[in-house]
Amino acid sequence: MLFNSYVFVLAFLPAVLLGWWLLPGTRGRLWLLTLASYLFYGWWDWRFVPLMLVSTSADFAAGAYLGRTEVPGR
């Protein structure tokens, strides 16, 4: 799926925007955008989805670890 394809413009983008506005709270919206991103890139080549899941998990774990550290003057 490309940004200028009919599938993106007429189906994917409106569905994601509608979901964004219907979901209350930040947490649900972030999950929607994450899953929509996986679907968008997986549409191009599904074999990269496991790599994106590993990358997302590693980044989340690193961010959570950094958030727990105590650094003076932070």
Side-chain angles (χ1 to χ4, degrees):
M1 176 180 346
L2 298 173
F3 288 115
N4 61 351
S5 69
Y6 289 115
V7 174
F8 178 80
V9 174
L10 298 177
F12 185 77
L13 182 62
V16 171
L17 288 176
L18 182 65
W20 173 268
W21 290 112
L22 291 177
L23 283 173
T26 305
R27 189 177 203 101
R29 288 177 172 182
L30 292 177
W31 275 106
L32 172 72
L33 290 180
T34 302
L35 295 176
S37 297
Y38 291 152
L39 178 65
F40 179 79
Y41 288 108
W43 192 284
W44 173 62
D45 194 346
W46 61 270
R47 294 173 296 176
F48 291 116
V49 172
L51 177 63
M52 289 187 304
L53 288 170
V54 168
S55 175
T56 304
S57 299
D59 292 340
F60 181 81
Y65 173 74
L66 288 172
R68 287 193 312 263
T69 59
E70 296 284 333
V71 178
R74 183 175 137 192

